Amino acid sequence: MSDYTMTFELVDADNDGRISAVELVRLMEVLGQPVTLEAAQDGVRRLDKDGDGLIDVEEFGAFIQR
Ligand SMILES: [Ca+2]
Ligand SMILES: [Ca+2]
């Protein structure tokens, strides 16, 4: 299991295998850099390659490993 997979599972609070904008907001709060839900939704849209409105582990990995 690679590092980004473990990070993904930490961020994915409800363990549904997708990171939602709400989970992204929680992550940024934990990191001490709170963002609005709107900003998180923008971020999700930028990472979201298949257009389902959520970040899956592959989309997350593509972001982390850039
Ligand atoms: Ca989730
Ligand atoms: Ca997606």
Side-chain angles (χ1 to χ4, degrees):
M1 191 183 274
S2 56
D3 283 353
Y4 78 79
T5 309
M6 281 161 48
T7 306
F8 184 91
E9 291 188 350
L10 286 176
V11 179
D12 182 19
D14 61 4
N15 292 314
D16 66 353
R18 305 279 186 275
I19 293 174
S20 64
V22 171
E23 286 167 342
L24 204 54
V25 167
R26 282 198 209 116
L27 169 68
M28 296 312 286
E29 276 172 5
V30 169
L31 294 178
Q33 298 182 322
V35 297
T36 63
L37 183 58
E38 277 185 7
Q41 285 167 337
D42 275 355
V44 167
R45 264 197 295 273
R46 234 169 296 155
L47 299 186
D48 185 19
K49 293 202 179 79
D50 61 6
D52 63 358
L54 299 164
I55 302 169
D56 64 29
V57 70
E58 283 167 24
E59 290 162 348
F60 188 72
F63 168 66
I64 293 294
Q65 295 181 323
R66 203 148 48 189

